[in-house]
Amino acid sequence: TVTYDLGTGGGQTVNVLGDLTVGNNSNIVRLYCQTYNPTLDVDGNVLITGTAEFAASGSASFTVGGNWTNNGTFTNSSGTVTFNATTTGHTLSGSLSGTTNRFNIINFSGSGGEWTLGANLETNAASATALAVTAGTLKNGGFSITGSGATDTFSVSNGAFFEMSGTSAYPVSFTTYTYGATSTTKYLQTGATTLVGATYGNLEVGTQNDSNTPTYTMNAITVVAGTLTIGNAAGSN
């Protein structure tokens, strides 16, 4: 077992201009960012291999410009992981839920960025906005999103997009759901779906391709602050 403690003192910033890979799928490797609490900025992808453990910084910021793949163990601490890519085609995969692998607070903030889930996602922040799409597009990829923290919030800001597809359900267990008046929420399901009552910005209801024949039921307390579009296809913005 090899253990690394990132940083040398308080307030330090560690910039990774390429990818961050933790472990080698052979030896047990532990990378800790909690002792010195550095700000970690990764421009590329983050890969936690199957034999690795990665403990993120406590309250310091942690940004990722590429993909996130967790095949090992991720300890979220109490901080925020921000995905700030400004291009499409990015993914979050591997283990994204459970006591040791869920996020505390996760933020998608890159204008023009696009992220698709490859597994069920869980957050556990309390008294905070646990999941925020402040810019770009988050696609759940047919997987679930769960807020496990007390009094937490799921938020989609003005100009941002959130898309649900497949047989996935609406994000569950968050205390509050907020949608900016110019945000867009898309239901692109494959089966019978009841729209969850909320005050949406723009709302699009349809299917990703012509082979699917979903049916939708509108909740009586649904409010659309912007434009309601029914029958869109392919999930294009």
Side-chain angles (χ1 to χ4, degrees):
T1 301
V2 181
T3 301
Y4 300 91
D5 204 342
L6 192 62
T8 58
Q12 184 180 20
T13 297
V14 178
N15 294 314
V16 180
L17 301 183
D19 299 332
L20 171 63
T21 300
V22 185
N24 56 12
N25 278 318
S26 178
N27 300 316
I28 297 175
V29 176
R30 296 187 177 100
L31 176 62
Y32 291 97
C33 303
Q34 297 170 328
T35 302
Y36 303 106
N37 202 31
T39 295
L40 178 60
D41 185 359
V42 179
D43 290 349
N45 304 319
V46 172
L47 169 61
I48 306 169
T49 65
T51 58
E53 301 175 16
F54 176 33
S57 299
S59 58
S61 63
F62 176 20
T63 60
V64 179
N67 303 326
W68 175 277
T69 306
N70 176 23
N71 296 324
T73 300
F74 171 63
T75 303
N76 62 45
S77 303
S78 60
T80 300
V81 179
T82 297
F83 291 86
N84 60 0
T86 56
T87 55
T88 61
H90 300 287
T91 58
L92 282 71
S93 61
S95 182
L96 309 176
S97 62
T99 303
T100 57
N101 291 311
R102 62 193 177 189
F103 293 87
N104 181 55
I105 298 173
I106 185 168
N107 184 17
F108 301 90
S109 69
S111 179
E114 178 192 273
W115 303 267
T116 302
L117 301 184
N120 296 331
L121 174 70
E122 183 181 0
T123 63
N124 73 328
S127 302
T129 299
L131 190 152
V133 188
T134 57
T137 300
L138 173 62
K139 299 181 177 182
N140 75 356
F143 293 94
S144 66
I145 297 176
T146 304
S148 298
T151 62
D152 52 357
T153 297
F154 177 93
S155 174
V156 183
S157 298
N158 284 328
F161 294 81
F162 173 59
E163 176 186 304
M164 294 166 280
S165 62
T167 59
S168 62
Y170 187 80
V172 296
S173 300
F174 293 90
T175 306
T176 304
Y177 300 81
T178 62
Y179 298 92
T182 61
S183 68
T184 300
T185 301
K186 301 181 179 183
Y187 284 82
L188 302 176
Q189 317 301 103
T190 57
T193 302
T194 298
L195 274 64
V196 172
T199 298
Y200 298 97
N202 301 311
L203 179 61
E204 297 185 10
V205 180
T207 179
Q208 287 192 317
N209 57 68
D210 292 337
S211 64
N212 296 325
T213 56
T215 59
Y216 292 96
T217 301
M218 186 75 77
N219 190 297
I221 58 173
T222 296
V223 176
V224 180
T227 300
L228 172 62
T229 303
I230 299 176
N232 64 309
S236 59
N237 291 343

